[in-house]
Amino acid sequence: QVQLLESGGGLVQAGGSLRLSCAVSGITFSILTMAWFRQAPGKEREFVAAITWRLGTDYSDSVKGRFTISRDNGKNTLYLQMNSLKPEDTAVYYCAADHHSDVGRGEYSYWGQGTQVTVSS
């Protein structure tokens, strides 16, 4: 059974930092394309960042230069380091995984339950 479990969310002041983690089990992590998405209240889910098994990365324009996606294949864990947080970054953040290296910002097969990030002004 494939499981993606996010952690690290919380409440932070604007300008602060958080690091999200996503622990993956039940699947061969090292060959997956991994991504972070987020969904703010009343808005559609949006792409945040992705990383392929070859360590290629992609970021949305809204987080580029502030967020860093990374992975530790030895620990089967995905990370999202979020710096210079803004109130508009407030959302539930979801970890996603897929076997296709070209899934990019598209439809991922596996999803976590999400972790809340709240940035106060």
Side-chain angles (χ1 to χ4, degrees):
Q1 182 180 0
V2 179
Q3 290 189 325
L4 282 67
L5 182 63
E6 302 96 335
S7 62
L11 174 64
V12 64
Q13 289 188 334
S17 299
L18 282 175
R19 188 176 81 154
L20 305 184
S21 299
C22 173
V24 179
S25 60
I27 196 169
T28 304
F29 178 78
S30 61
I31 63 172
L32 297 172
T33 297
M34 300 296 301
W36 290 98
F37 288 76
R38 66 186 182 186
Q39 187 167 19
K43 295 187 177 181
E44 293 188 353
R45 186 171 61 196
E46 66 171 349
F47 170 83
V48 174
I51 185 168
T52 68
W53 67 273
R54 293 182 175 177
L55 304 183
T57 58
D58 181 28
Y59 295 92
S60 69
D61 288 343
S62 61
V63 307
K64 195 174 296 182
R66 300 188 298 122
F67 291 9
T68 302
I69 190 171
S70 62
R71 63 193 297 162
D72 185 334
N73 289 341
K75 296 182 177 180
N76 289 355
T77 302
L78 175 74
Y79 301 101
L80 185 69
Q81 178 66 45
M82 304 186 295
N83 298 329
S84 302
L85 283 161
K86 304 175 181 180
E88 51 263 45
D89 294 318
T90 295
V92 177
Y93 283 70
Y94 297 91
C95 169
D98 199 271
H99 285 107
H100 295 91
S101 60
D102 60 351
V103 61
R105 304 182 181 196
E107 295 296 322
Y108 282 70
S109 299
Y110 307 101
W111 292 85
Q113 294 298 307
T115 185
Q116 176 71 46
V117 172
T118 303
V119 184
S120 63
S121 57

